[in-house]
C-alpha cells in the first residue's frame, strides 16, 4: 500500500511527550545523538520540562525535530517498505528531509538550532505573535490582514499557516495580530486564539533570519532525496539540493500551505498517512482536509505496532 509520513512542528510539544516510546531503544538513542550535537541533555528537558522552557523556540525546534526523527526511526526499525512521500509542517520539514536521506540528522539538529536562534533574534521576545483564526475562509483572513496593515502605521500581520479549511494562523507584530483577531471575530470567525510561541513565524518579519539561514545552508551538504519531499512553500518536491536550500529559506517568510499539501498527497494516490511524532495535530487536520484519507498518529509504542499490523 502506498502511504506517506508527515512530521509535526512547533505546537505539539509537552513535558513527558516521549513517555510512551520506551519499547524502542532507538528513540532514546536518537535523543542522545542530538544531545551530543548540541552539548545539552535534551532527554531530561523533554521529560522534566518545565513547559515554559519547552515553549521557547530555541528549545522547541531541536526537541521537536529529534522527537519526529526518533518516532520515524522506531517505525523504520520494523522493516516496513518506505513511504511514497514525506512532508513536514513548518519545522517538521527538516525531519522529512532526514527521513528522505537528503540531510543527515546531525546536520539537521545543528541547522534547526541555528534557525531557532536567528528567528528569536529577528524579533525581540514579546514584540511578535501568532494567532489561530477558526471559522473564516482563506480569502477572508487575507482581507482582514490587509485591513490591519492599511491602518496600523507600519506594523504588519500576514497569513502564516493554511492548516485546513476554516483554520488559518496569522503572524506578525503582536499589536497587529491582536487587531487581526478582533477584525476576524467581527467578520464572523468562530474563535481567535493567541498561540503560545515566542516568535512570529512564516511572515515578513523573518526576512533577516532568512538571509542568515541562506548563508548557513551554503555550508551544509544536502543530497537528492530518496523519497519525494513535499515542501511547505510551493507544495512541490525537488531533487536538486540547491533548490531544496532555496525553499528552506523561503519557508521562513512564506506561509505553510498544509491544506494544499494534503490535497496533493491525495491526488498522488495516497490514502494512508502516518504522523511521526508526539501528538495528533496533523492527523486531525488531515481528516478535515481529506475525509477519505486515513491519518494514523504514531503516538506511542502500541500505536506504532498496531499501525504496522494494519499495513501488513
Amino acid at each position: 500500500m502506498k502511504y506517506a509520513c508527515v512530521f509535526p512542528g512547533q505546537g505539539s510539544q509537552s513535558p513527558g511527550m516521549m513517555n510512551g516510546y520506551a519499547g524502542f531503544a532507538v528513540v532514546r538513542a536518537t535523543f542522545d545523538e542530538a544531545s551530543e550535537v548540541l552539548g545539552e541533555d535534551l532527554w531530561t528537558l523533554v521529560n522534566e520540562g518545565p513547559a515554559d522552557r519547552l515553549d521557547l523556540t530555541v528549545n522547541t525546534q531541536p526537541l521537536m525535530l529529534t522527537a519526529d526523527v526518533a518516532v520515524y526511526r522506531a517505525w523504520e526499525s520494523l522493516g516496513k517498505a518506505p513511504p511514497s512521500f514525506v512532508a513536514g509542517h513548518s519545522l517538521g520539514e527538516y525531519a522529512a528531509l532526514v527521513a528522505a536521506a537528503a540531510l543527515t540528522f546531525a546536520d539537521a539538529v545543528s541547522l534547526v538550532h541555528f534557525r531557532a536562534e536567528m528567528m528569536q533574534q529577528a524579533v525581540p521576545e514579546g514584540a511578535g505573535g501568532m494567532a489561530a483564526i477558526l471559522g473564516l475562509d482563506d480569502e477572508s483572513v487575507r482581507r482582514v490582514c490587509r485591513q490591519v496593515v492599511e491602518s496600523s502605521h507600519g506594523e504588519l500581520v500576514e497569513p502564516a499557516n493554511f492548516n485546513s479549511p476554516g483554520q488559518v494562523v496569522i503572524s506578525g507584530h503582536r499589536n497587529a495580530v491582536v487587531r487581526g483577531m478582533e477584525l476576524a471575530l467581527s467578520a464572523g470567525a468562530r474563535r481567535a486564539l493567541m498561540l503560545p510561541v515566542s516568535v512570529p513565524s512564516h511572515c515578513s518579519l523573518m526576512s533577516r533570519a532568512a538571509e542568515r539561514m541562506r548563508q548557513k545552508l551554503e555550508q551544509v551538504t544536502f543530497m537528492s532525496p530518496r523519497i519525494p519531499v513535499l515542501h511547505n512553500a510551493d507544495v512541490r518536491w525537488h531533487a536538486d539540493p540547491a533548490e531544496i536550500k532555496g525553499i528552506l529559506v523561503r519557508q521562513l517568510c512564506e506561509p505553510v500551505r498544509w491544506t494544499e499539501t494534503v490535497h496533493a498527497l491525495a491526488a498522488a494516490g495516497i490514502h494512508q498517512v502516518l504522523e511521526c511524532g508526539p501528538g495528533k495535530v496533523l492527523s486531525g487536520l488531515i481528516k478535515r482536509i481529506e475525509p477519505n484519507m486515513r491519518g494514523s498518529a504514531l503516538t506511542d509504542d502500541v500505536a506504532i505496532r498496531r499501525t504496522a499490523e494494519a499495513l501488513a
Side-chain angles (χ1 to χ4, degrees), residues 16-248:
M17 65 186 181
M18 304 308 294
N19 287 347
Y21 299 100
F24 288 95
V26 70
V27 170
R28 176 63 188 269
T30 301
F31 272 83
D32 289 345
E33 186 180 346
S35 297
E36 186 173 348
V37 171
L38 297 180
E40 182 179 359
D41 186 354
L42 297 186
W43 189 250
T44 297
L45 179 58
V46 78
N47 281 290
E48 299 179 8
D52 57 351
R53 281 196 67 203
L54 263 64
D55 289 342
L56 286 175
T57 291
V58 291
N59 293 327
T60 306
Q61 293 201 22
L63 280 173
M64 282 305 303
L65 168 73
T66 304
D68 289 358
V69 172
V71 174
Y72 180 77
R73 286 177 170 177
W75 168 259
E76 199 176 34
S77 72
L78 297 180
K80 295 297 178 182
S84 299
F85 290 92
V86 291
H89 189 283
S90 185
L91 164 71
E93 194 163 288
Y94 285 83
L97 288 164
V98 173
L103 181 63
T104 68
F105 177 55
D107 281 343
V109 171
S110 178
L111 277 173
V112 161
H113 186 258
F114 179 84
R115 177 182 186 266
E117 289 181 328
M118 294 305 101
M119 291 172 71
Q120 192 69 75
Q121 290 177 19
V123 179
E125 188 171 352
M130 301 180 75
I133 308 300
L134 308 180
L136 277 189
D137 62 85
D138 294 355
E139 186 50 43
S140 295
V141 175
R142 290 189 183 98
R143 188 180 308 116
V144 162
C145 291
R146 289 195 296 267
Q147 290 172 347
V148 173
V149 171
E150 288 168 1
S151 61
S152 65
H153 307 292
E155 292 198 330
L156 67 83
V157 61
E158 299 169 353
N161 300 347
F162 294 101
N163 283 334
S164 69
Q167 185 186 132
V168 181
V169 174
I170 59 175
S171 178
H173 291 104
R174 191 171 189 85
N175 290 337
V177 170
V178 171
R179 179 59 178 152
M181 294 167 66
E182 295 169 350
L183 288 181
L185 291 170
S186 298
R190 189 171 70 254
R191 296 181 71 188
L193 307 168
M194 189 68 76
L195 300 180
V197 296
S198 59
V199 296
S201 304
H202 304 293
C203 74
S204 301
L205 295 181
M206 291 293 106
S207 58
R208 187 173 69 173
E211 183 53 39
R212 294 293 302 275
M213 198 68 191
R214 184 191 307 278
Q215 297 168 8
K216 182 71 171 180
L217 285 164
E218 290 175 356
Q219 305 168 20
V220 179
T221 299
F222 280 65
M223 288 72 72
S224 182
R226 296 179 187 171
I227 305 168
V229 181
L230 282 176
H231 291 278
N232 290 181
D234 63 357
V235 197
R236 295 174 56 197
W237 68 277
H238 300 270
D240 184 349
E243 292 180 1
I244 294 172
K245 292 180 181 183
I247 212 73
L248 290 176

